[in-house]
Amino acid sequence: MDFSFMSEYWGFFVKGAELTVLLSIFTVILGGIGGMLLSLMKLSRIWVLKAIATAYIEFFRGTPLLVQLFIVYFGLPQLGLSFNEFTAGVVTLSINSAAYIAEIFRAGIQGVDKGQTEAARSLGLSHRQTMRKIILPQAFRNILPALGNEFIVVIKESSIVSVIGTRELMYNADTVRSNTFQPFEPLIVAALIYFILTFALSKLLGVLERRLQARD
Amino acid sequence: MIKVTDLHKSFQQLEVLRGIDAEIKQGEVVVVIGPSGSGKSTFLRCLNLLEVPTSGDIVFEGTSLMDKSTDINKLRQKMGMVFQQFHLFPHLTVRENITLAPTLVKNMSKEEANRTAEDLLRAVGLADKADVYPTRLSGGQKQRIAIARALAMSPDVMLFDEPTSALDPEMVGEVLEVMKRLAKQGMTMVVVTHEMGFAREVGDRILFMDGGKIVEEGKPAELFGNPRHPRTKDFLSKVL
Ligand SMILES: Nc1ncnc2c1ncn2[C@@H]1O[C@H](COP(=O)(O)OP(=O)(O)OP(=O)(O)O)[C@@H](O)[C@H]1O
Ligand SMILES: [Mg+2]
């Protein structure tokens, strides 16, 4: 194994890792907001909202991420909606992740004891106030592990946007591979960086969870 | 204050309430007793629309709950409810549990809500627990906080659904004590309970329910001392 290319190319990996992290953060935030809205729609009593949310969730969980990516990047410009490589990546990963996060939120919301809703409503809180002040904060705590796990999944799956030319970690590692004619080592470095990212994140989430639990 | 007419409630096929007529007057303590599954909780939960009646009418302070234009959130502010399982909000401190509803739905200022909370905590003997999270409390303490939380909205009536049934025996007394004091202060109360001592001592009127109906009602002395209906006799002979 020869890692001497690193002295020349280390900047590629740093830049790539930065973009990977940025992609993932945007995705988790946007996907989180989308997922929360979808879960509220799915649990709503208004059947149109419910139907839209259900269709969305089923569709995006039931089709490959790569196909979704190509539709966003190559397909949507046909309809006059074009994105640069980074934005297309964020958009695709977010709409995909929202479908998964919606199910995480739904389980979290349904996991909150029904008595909590009854207690809040009996005090005169509206449905909306009950959601915001009582149910969602508790649901959020319940789902933090699952949400953290989704973050980790997103970091790994974000590598797929390299195929449309988003210069994140995978894309840059591949560039180094072809520049150096070394098929092996640059990818090992990339794998290692992905691992460090996900491992550090899972440790961090572990600490956060313990903090929250320590409160009760 | 509350007038119930021909109240029916079914869950799918199961008819749980089969025509209830009842009236609760200002300042009255009405105790509901009866065997398990007779519909006591369902009846109580219909009073603040946690269960939606299938038919019949409930009029609270002149407003029909069955009227589609009634703002149920508004009415619930005037009806406190205490549950068997307490249902304190675990992510909020005791103080926040108590001040949440007044500040959120009554737009009470934080300062005023905090003052009210402190007064109420003192009244239930838990002034030192304001900044504690509910998991740190015993069952009896939780239930006293739950009562304080409901009282913080200054309701006109308090509904209790077996408030002591989930408690260890040694904690039943402290909760009943708080309820007794509340009754003395003139609070209108509807209490579902198996505590016959409390019913006899504090109740102005006892409703005996069986099979989704009020089978017999009367003053505690009458109903306990001289039950007329065979099913009341049968029930009382089992629980007394
Ligand atoms: N949400 C519900 N869905 C279906 N059935 C229900 C529901 N709530 C209550 N029931 C049924 O209605 C009947 C009456 O229940 P309810 O809780 O009112 O009785 P209760 O008199 O309070 O009994 P207990 O003393 O055990 O609390 C029971 O057979 C119960 O199984
Ligand atoms: Mg009951």
Side-chain angles (χ1 to χ4, degrees), chain A residues 1 5 10 57 60 66 87 111 125 137 140 148-149 185 190 211:
Chain A
M1 291 248 200
F5 65 89
W10 64 273
I57 291 166
F60 284 100
L66 187 60
T87 315
L125 273 70
F140 187 72
N149 198 47
E185 290 87 343
R211 281 259 171 90

Side-chain angles (χ1 to χ4, degrees), chain B residues 146-170:
Chain B
I147 294 172
R149 177 177 70 180
L151 289 174
M153 292 296 287
S154 30
D156 294 341
V157 57
M158 288 281 284
L159 312 173
F160 292 85
D161 191 1
E162 300 200 29
T164 59
S165 293
L167 300 178
D168 293 336
E170 72 269 21

